[in-house]
Amino acid sequence: MARIAGINTQTNAKGIITKITVDVKNHPQAKKDLTQIGIMANSKEDMEREAFYKKINNPTNMTLDEARKLSYQHIDSLKWDN
């Protein structure tokens, strides 16, 4: 197997690779792949972004038309004294 800078492997007595060590500073693309398969935790910014998109794209949220209608109903329900 070819030697790659920043990646170390360990093999057992039969020559089968049992451990792989990746220097994510040398190989930043590996960090993304490792987070996708669940080996590494996402960064704080990624977790905040995911939470934001889950909140915004929640199917139980009101549509703009529903919010506008509710606002108009609330305004109409107020008693205005002249």
Side-chain angles (χ1 to χ4, degrees):
M1 185 170 165
R3 306 263 319 152
I4 301 173
I7 298 178
N8 298 321
T9 59
Q10 292 180 3
T11 58
N12 63 10
K14 295 180 182 180
I16 299 172
I17 296 175
T18 56
K19 293 182 183 181
I20 298 175
T21 306
V22 179
D23 184 354
V24 292
K25 188 174 183 180
N26 290 347
H27 302 282
Q29 72 278 9
K31 190 174 185 180
K32 181 180 175 186
D33 296 332
L34 293 172
T35 56
Q36 284 180 346
I37 61 175
I39 293 176
M40 285 182 64
N42 289 335
S43 66
K44 183 178 179 183
E45 293 83 17
D46 289 339
M47 291 189 307
E48 288 174 353
R49 186 178 305 112
E50 284 180 22
F52 173 77
Y53 284 120
K54 283 181 183 177
K55 185 176 181 180
I56 293 299
N57 295 322
N58 187 343
T60 61
N61 290 345
M62 267 194 255
T63 64
L64 290 175
D65 290 334
E66 292 171 336
R68 185 178 295 117
K69 183 179 177 183
L70 187 63
S71 297
Y72 286 143
Q73 287 174 352
H74 179 68
I75 291 169
D76 289 340
S77 71
L78 297 174
K79 294 188 178 184
W80 295 91
D81 292 332
N82 290 333

